[in-house]
Amino acid sequence: MNNDVSLQKEELSDELRLLLSILVMDHGAKITFDIQELLHKTDWDKFIELARHHRVFPTLNLKLQKMKSTDIPTFVTQMFHRDYYRNTLQMLALSGEMEQLAKVFSENGIRSLFLKGPVIAADLYGDVSLRTSCDLDFLIPIKDLERAEALLVTLGYVKDDYIESVLNDWKWRHHHTAFVHPDKAIKVEVHWRLNPAPAKEPKFDDLWERRRQSSLISRPIYYLGREDLFMFLVSHGARHGWSRLRWLLDIKQLVNQKVDWPKLIRLLRKYQFAHIGGQALLLVARLMATPLREEMKPLITDRKAEWSAEDAMYYVHRIINLHTPPIPEEVDRYHKKYLFGLLTTRQKLLFMASFLYPYPKDAITLPLPKSLHFLYFPLRPFLWSWRKIRKQG
């Protein structure tokens, strides 16, 4: 199939083009003339900033060692080598903590599926040091959430209790809660959903039935089946605008594995992620030189996949940190519009209907006893209007 997928409306910076060129080099590839030209034009401080922002410096470090180019300043290679070393220590610490958490949950009858972190690094890259992770994410059945949180507290974790809720809206408006270990400086995210509403997704029992066991350590560590992992990674990356190239690098590594494409396509269509899967494939084809194969055609010929891939280039052209407030107003407006554009018609209707459900702000505006919280449903339009009037005043 034709891989010449044109997505961007403006040229990428020299630093980003060089970054992408090095990332897609095969181990035995020679440095091309284009790369040589970029090596002379690159602002190395900007290049380092990009590599760190996109969390691709472990792979970059490996590629630069194999290039052995005299045109790359020594301070650049030394910087990435130090970053790589620190990341290796971080990933080893996370691996040890993951083993302990899996042991504790298993002994207490709580099934857990690790979503990212060391298991994904080992599976996709063959080496935990070649992917960055700042925390551990695992999925459990929602019925076990309270017990899991209690176990984390006994292990020394402190809950980051940032979720405000009324009438149990946390169950669908959010999809995870966070805990931090003050002594180990490790953060874990406990998921009861893969994505927040209005996303449709498999039941935990279905994911558990298709689970895989990691060979990273001797103790059983379970994570998502290959097709479920693809669906999770593309939905996560799309929700964040693919603002870090590491997520696309993950997809590039995954599609080079033995994916059951008919099974994957059925799965994506069932849960309304087919256009998201197509978006990811179009982006890795354009930015990561990943061949588009015939079995991918049902996903990449989706017009919505093309449009959303084009929209995601907004994030690729910029350094955007969606988790670092304050988010610039322009970026915030674009991101809200982008996220709404990703939704299917059914999801858009559910999303708009969710505004009729009471928000925690309603309980702050008019505190009521818990037994009367049902009154927030008919009161919501008036409480919303009152807040708007006061804000304008």
Side-chain angles (χ1 to χ4, degrees):
M1 294 182 65
N2 184 10
N3 290 343
D4 186 17
V5 184
S6 179
L7 293 174
Q8 73 270 32
K9 294 180 179 178
E10 56 188 284
E11 288 295 322
L12 301 175
S13 68
D14 290 334
E15 292 74 27
L16 187 52
R17 289 196 310 163
L18 178 61
L19 182 68
L20 292 169
S21 298
I22 295 174
L23 286 176
V24 302
M25 284 179 60
D26 294 327
H27 295 317
K30 295 180 180 179
I31 301 174
T32 66
F33 175 78
D34 288 340
I35 293 183
Q36 286 286 47
E37 183 181 2
L38 289 170
L39 287 171
H40 290 98
K41 294 166 63 178
T42 290
D43 180 323
W44 291 107
D45 289 332
K46 290 182 180 178
F47 183 80
I48 291 171
E49 182 185 15
L50 273 176
R52 286 175 167 172
H53 166 74
H54 288 294
R55 307 291 195 265
V56 293
F57 56 83
T59 301
L60 204 58
N61 175 69
L62 183 65
K63 301 281 187 178
L64 292 177
Q65 286 182 354
K66 293 182 179 296
M67 283 176 61
K68 298 180 180 178
S69 173
T70 56
D71 293 316
I72 302 174
T74 303
F75 83 90
V76 175
T77 55
Q78 289 178 343
M79 187 84 68
F80 287 137
H81 185 69
R82 285 196 295 270
D83 287 349
Y84 170 81
Y85 177 73
R86 283 194 292 266
N87 181 64
T88 300
L89 296 179
Q90 167 80 358
M91 293 300 284
L92 290 174
L94 288 176
S95 297
E97 190 68 10
M98 180 180 65
E99 181 177 10
Q100 182 184 10
L101 291 175
K103 177 177 181 291
V104 170
F105 289 144
S106 178
E107 289 175 347
N108 285 272
I110 298 177
R111 296 173 295 169
S112 60
L113 290 169
F114 285 85
L115 300 175
K116 294 184 287 183
V119 289
I120 303 305
D123 179 48
L124 299 182
Y125 299 89
D127 187 337
V128 296
S129 67
L130 290 179
R131 189 187 188 275
T132 66
S133 291
C134 60
D135 53 25
L136 292 171
D137 298 71
F138 56 87
L139 179 73
I140 61 172
I142 192 169
K143 65 181 180 62
D144 294 326
L145 181 59
E146 190 174 337
R147 284 201 301 137
E149 291 187 343
L151 286 172
L152 287 171
V153 171
T154 64
L155 292 173
Y157 281 89
V158 178
K159 186 175 182 179
D160 182 4
D161 213 356
Y162 61 90
I163 295 178
E164 296 179 340
S165 180
V166 63
L167 293 166
N168 289 325
D169 67 336
W170 62 270
K171 291 183 179 181
W172 52 274
R173 280 200 167 116
H174 299 272
H175 62 296
H176 67 72
T177 189
F179 284 78
V180 177
H181 198 294
D183 298 325
K184 297 179 180 179
I186 289 178
K187 177 183 176 183
V188 300
E189 291 187 350
V190 188
H191 292 244
W192 56 89
R193 289 175 55 92
L194 295 176
N195 299 286
K200 182 182 177 184
E201 60 184 51
K203 296 178 181 178
F204 182 89
D205 288 344
D206 295 331
L207 296 172
W208 183 258
E209 186 178 342
R210 298 190 292 263
R211 74 191 184 279
R212 289 180 289 168
Q213 181 174 331
S214 174
S215 58
L216 184 59
I217 54 180
S218 56
R219 178 172 297 279
I221 301 285
Y222 299 112
Y223 66 116
L224 295 174
R226 188 164 284 120
E227 290 71 35
D228 289 320
L229 180 61
F230 182 95
M231 184 167 66
F232 169 67
L233 291 179
V234 298
S235 61
H236 176 270
R239 195 171 69 249
H240 293 83
W242 301 102
S243 53
R244 298 200 193 278
L245 291 174
R246 179 191 65 187
W247 297 324
L248 286 176
L249 200 57
D250 288 345
I251 302 303
K252 176 182 174 67
Q253 297 295 116
L254 182 52
V255 298
N256 287 331
Q257 295 184 346
K258 293 180 179 179
V259 176
D260 185 335
W261 287 98
K263 177 182 176 181
L264 174 59
I265 291 169
R266 287 194 302 271
L267 194 69
L268 293 173
R269 285 175 172 168
K270 179 178 180 180
Y271 296 105
Q272 302 182 330
F273 284 120
H275 61 293
I276 301 296
Q279 178 201 41
L281 293 175
L282 291 170
L283 287 169
V284 294
R286 179 64 184 86
L287 298 172
M288 298 286 176
T290 302
L292 295 177
R293 302 190 295 273
E294 189 65 28
E295 57 265 34
M296 304 174 184
K297 190 173 180 179
L299 299 176
I300 59 178
T301 53
D302 186 331
R303 292 290 294 173
K304 191 166 185 177
E306 295 181 25
W307 296 333
S308 61
E310 177 69 49
D311 291 341
M313 292 302 293
Y314 173 88
Y315 303 88
V316 175
H317 285 294
R318 296 162 178 81
I319 293 181
I320 293 176
N321 293 295
L322 294 171
H323 292 302
T324 307
I327 301 173
E329 187 176 343
E330 176 203 344
V331 174
D332 188 49
R333 282 199 308 269
Y334 185 91
H335 192 58
K336 288 177 181 176
K337 183 179 178 182
Y338 163 82
L339 288 177
F340 189 74
L342 287 181
L343 302 179
T344 63
T345 301
R346 174 185 174 276
Q347 290 169 341
K348 286 177 180 176
L349 291 173
L350 289 173
F351 176 74
M352 289 186 286
S354 72
F355 286 105
L356 301 175
Y357 198 96
Y359 276 77
K361 286 183 179 179
D362 297 325
I364 296 173
T365 305
L366 180 64
L368 292 174
K370 194 170 183 178
S371 60
L372 297 178
H373 277 189
F374 68 92
L375 292 176
Y376 287 127
F377 281 100
L379 289 171
R380 170 145 175 75
F382 303 101
L383 296 174
W384 178 86
S385 300
W386 174 247
R387 286 196 298 272
K388 289 293 181 182
I389 293 171
R390 291 188 62 186
K391 188 176 180 181
Q392 290 176 359

